[in-house]
């Protein structure tokens, strides 16, 4: 479940393999086999590191199409992320919302009662408001007939639209976070900011491509949004009033202006603003020690969360009773496999083909390990476990290095997936020409070759055995599901 949630081990089908192991009575393998234990330990370290240094808190379950899984977001219980729309039926009063959640195969949820609502970015203390959700609409009402599922409907009444109070939001596709958990509701809400942006720079003629190029260069030079956001966060950490501090409120207005810079063309400067003095421990990079005297211990929520996550050593302790993978798997599956092959009259496959296949796999794996390290040196090469899990354990000291690590991970995950698909295809052969029994014989022989390579301490033998073991279990599952050999 951990790997599946965070997109780890997908190239080598680890989440599915762990489920298959459980189905065939091999649960103890991933607890006692040294290689499996290292895989799980590396995965846990990756998740904890993302939580400590790079995670973001998602304001709810997202009811929107997603291109790929988001692995570094952690979801708040009893919360949702919904697109905002207007109450065109004029059913809601000022301060009311309507939201109906419907996931496929589940009953509808009509949110009712006090709801915390906000959107990203949340910088000004008034960007968070409490509203009243009306719950299930009355029978025959417009929202009973047209339920507008998985959206949040805002009232059109009142002196000011609620979306504009939430970080200057609107209803052109903005997403809003709804939280019903009362423990996360503030004791009181602050007045929202005015968010009256500066006037745009007029151009008394038609714009040209040179104007666009000039502005792009100016924007790249004068964009201070990230700096303003970081200074605001650090200053709020140090001031007794937090985000309610006068300087923090001024930073919030600057942040709003910086967000509008691409629209207004007016750059924002924070040169005259007070700068934070110390550095909180939660701002410490991975490769530095927050206890070395350069950082102070933050008493704010970020500091508490940062210190609560202890990474430890990614290498696991040795199991009390280490298991030999070959011995455990043979004890669980040997008789079953032999029975199927004997009844079908199918003999062992040619092991020389799979020894050649392993040689190619090992070469490709070595290339991936050598070409995806954070630095171009022998010491930064990845190990076999990192490639299988889909992570890089090397520490980073700057944001650009973190981006580089993410890009490298994404690249070698794609390469690993293609490699594994090729190896599995070579193991199982063409289904149109081979039956389950022939495929099982090939997969079992390949697994035995993998065990032999492991005995010889050949690089890549452990991960090669994983692919073969997954192939064996997949064929057995197919035989049991279809009832034919």
């Amino acid at each position: 479940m951990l790997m599946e949630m965070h997109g780890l081990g997908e190239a080598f089908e680890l989440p599915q393999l762990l489920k298959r192991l459980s189905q065939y009575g091999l649960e103890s393998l991933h607890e006692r086999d040294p290689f499996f234990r290292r895989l799980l330990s590396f995965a846990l370290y990756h998740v904890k590191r993302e939580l400590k240094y790079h995670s973001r808190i998602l304001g709810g379950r997202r009811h929107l199409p997603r291109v790929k899984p988001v692995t570094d977001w952690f979801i708040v219980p009893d919360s949702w992320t919904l697109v905002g729309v207007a109450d065109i039926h004029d059913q809601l009063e000022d301060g009311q919302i309507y939201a109906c959640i419907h996931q496929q195969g589940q009953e509808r949820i009509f949110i009712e009662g006090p709801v915390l609502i906000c959107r990203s970015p949340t910088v000004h203390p008034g960007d968070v408001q409490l509203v009243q959700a009306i719950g299930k609409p009355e029978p025959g009402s417009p929202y009973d007939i047209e339920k507008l599922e998985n959206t949040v409907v805002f009232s059109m009444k009142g002196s000011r639209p609620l979306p504009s109070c939430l970080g200057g939001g609107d209803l052109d596709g903005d997403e809003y976070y709804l939280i019903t958990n009362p423990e996360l509701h503030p004791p009181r809400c602050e007045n929202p900011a005015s968010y009256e942006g500066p006037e745009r720079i007029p151009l008394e003629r038609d714009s040209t491509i040179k104007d666009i190029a000039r502005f792009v260069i100016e924007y790249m030079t004068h964009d201070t949004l990230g700096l303003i956001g970081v200074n605001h966060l650090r200053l709020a950490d140090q001031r007794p009033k937090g985000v309610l501090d006068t300087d923090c409120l001024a930073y919030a207005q600057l942040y709003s202006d910086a967000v509008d810079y691409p629209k207004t063309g007016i750059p924002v400067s924070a040169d005259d603003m007070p700068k934070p003095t110390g550095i909180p421990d939660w701002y410490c990079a991975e490769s530095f020690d927050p206890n070395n005297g350069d950082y102070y211990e933050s008493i704010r929520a970020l500091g508490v969360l940062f210190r609560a996550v202890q990474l430890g050593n990614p290498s696991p302790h040795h199991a009390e009773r280490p298991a030999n993978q070959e011995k455990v798997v043979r004890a669980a599956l040997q008789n079953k496999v032999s029975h199927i092959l004997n009844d079908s009259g199918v003999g062992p496959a040619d092991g020389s083909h799979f020894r050649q296949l392993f040689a190619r796999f090992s070469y490709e794996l070595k290339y991936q390990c050598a070409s995806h390290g954070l630095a171009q040196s022998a010491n930064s090469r990845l190990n076999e476990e990192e490639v299988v899990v889909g992570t890089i354990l090397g520490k980073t000291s700057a944001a650009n290095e973190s981006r580089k690590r993410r890009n490298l991970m994404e690249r070698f995950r794609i390469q690993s997936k293609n490699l594994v698909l090729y190896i599995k295809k070579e193991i199982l052969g063409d289904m149109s020409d081979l039956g389950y029994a022939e495929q099982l014989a090939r997969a079992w022989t390949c697994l035995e070759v993998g065990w032999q390579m492991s005995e010889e301490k050949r690089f890549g033998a452990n991960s090669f055995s994983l692919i073969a073991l997954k192939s064996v279990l997949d064929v057995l599952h197919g035989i049991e599901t279809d009832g034919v050999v």
Side-chain angles (χ1 to χ4, degrees), residues 18-33 40 328:
L18 293 173
K19 292 178 182 178
R20 287 276 191 265
L21 292 175
S22 178
Q23 293 173 3
Y24 289 93
L26 293 167
E27 300 94 335
S28 64
L29 190 62
H30 70 269
E31 297 173 355
R32 297 169 52 202
D33 177 68
L40 297 179
V328 174

Side-chain angles (χ1 to χ4, degrees), residues 145-440:
I145 299 172
E146 185 183 16
K147 294 184 169 54
L148 295 182
E149 297 170 348
N150 302 328
T151 63
V152 53
V153 182
F154 289 96
S155 170
M156 298 176 64
K157 300 177 182 178
S159 59
R160 179 181 175 184
L162 178 59
S164 73
C165 301
L166 309 175
D170 49 38
L171 301 179
D172 63 354
D174 286 7
E175 300 171 30
Y176 295 86
Y177 306 147
L178 280 65
I179 302 177
T180 58
N181 187 341
E183 295 183 0
L184 298 177
H185 291 180
R188 64 186 180 89
C189 291
E190 302 295 328
N191 293 325
S194 61
Y195 289 110
E196 296 178 1
E199 295 183 1
R200 303 186 181 191
I201 298 178
L203 190 64
E204 303 298 336
R205 55 176 173 78
D206 292 340
S207 61
T208 65
I209 191 66
K210 290 185 178 180
D211 295 318
I212 297 174
R214 185 182 302 110
F215 176 73
V216 169
I217 295 174
E218 290 177 354
Y219 179 78
M220 293 171 63
T221 305
H222 297 99
D223 179 26
T224 56
L225 182 63
L227 177 63
I228 292 173
V230 169
N231 282 350
H232 169 270
L233 201 58
R234 288 175 55 188
L235 202 64
D237 190 271
Q238 298 169 9
R239 298 294 175 88
K241 291 185 178 181
V243 294
L244 295 174
D245 182 87
T246 304
D247 290 333
C248 290
L249 293 175
Y251 263 114
Q253 181 61 51
L254 282 182
Y255 191 91
S256 175
D257 294 342
V259 169
D260 291 335
Y261 176 25
K263 301 177 184 177
T264 63
I266 300 178
V268 177
S269 173
D271 293 342
D272 298 331
M273 292 295 295
K275 305 297 188 294
T277 52
I279 307 176
D281 52 1
W282 51 260
Y283 197 64
C284 178
E286 294 176 24
S287 57
F288 295 101
D289 180 9
N291 301 314
N292 66 1
D294 294 334
Y295 305 87
Y296 68 86
E297 187 174 292
S298 170
I299 62 172
R300 304 290 185 181
L302 279 178
V304 174
L305 291 172
F306 178 83
R307 292 186 296 275
V309 181
Q310 300 296 322
L311 296 182
N313 191 331
S315 299
H317 298 295
H318 295 294
E320 294 182 2
R321 293 181 298 115
N324 177 276
Q325 183 187 124
E326 179 179 359
K327 183 177 179 180
V328 174
V329 173
R330 282 192 185 280
L333 300 179
Q334 179 82 66
N335 291 337
K336 187 180 188 70
V337 171
S338 298
H339 177 73
I340 294 174
L341 297 182
N342 290 336
D343 288 351
S344 304
V346 176
D350 180 15
S352 62
H353 169 72
F354 298 110
R355 281 188 284 273
Q356 294 175 4
L357 185 63
F358 168 76
R360 174 165 184 178
F361 173 81
S362 179
Y363 175 83
E364 295 288 344
L365 191 65
K366 286 179 182 177
Y367 171 77
Q368 289 192 30
C369 292
S371 59
H372 292 90
L374 288 176
Q376 297 300 319
S377 65
N379 293 334
S380 68
R381 290 182 178 180
L382 306 185
N383 56 42
E384 185 179 5
E385 290 85 351
E386 288 176 285
V387 175
V388 175
V389 172
T391 187
I392 298 176
L393 296 185
K395 295 181 179 180
T396 61
S397 58
N400 61 329
E401 290 186 358
S402 296
R403 287 192 294 271
K404 177 182 178 182
R405 183 171 61 192
R406 287 195 297 269
N407 292 336
L408 287 171
M409 285 165 50
E410 184 174 355
R411 191 170 72 186
F412 80 68
R413 286 178 181 183
I414 295 174
Q415 293 180 7
S416 296
K417 184 174 182 179
N418 292 334
L419 176 60
V420 171
L421 289 175
Y422 168 77
I423 296 298
K424 285 194 68 175
K425 183 177 179 181
E426 289 296 312
I427 292 175
L428 298 177
D430 189 349
M431 186 62 184
S432 60
D433 297 331
L434 301 174
Y436 279 132
E438 289 84 357
Q439 287 188 320
L440 182 60

Side-chain angles (χ1 to χ4, degrees), residues 92-97 131-132 155-162:
L92 303 174
E93 299 298 326
D94 185 20
Q96 289 185 332
I97 63 167
V131 293
Q132 194 73 17
S155 170
M156 298 176 64
K157 300 177 182 178
S159 59
R160 179 181 175 184
L162 178 59

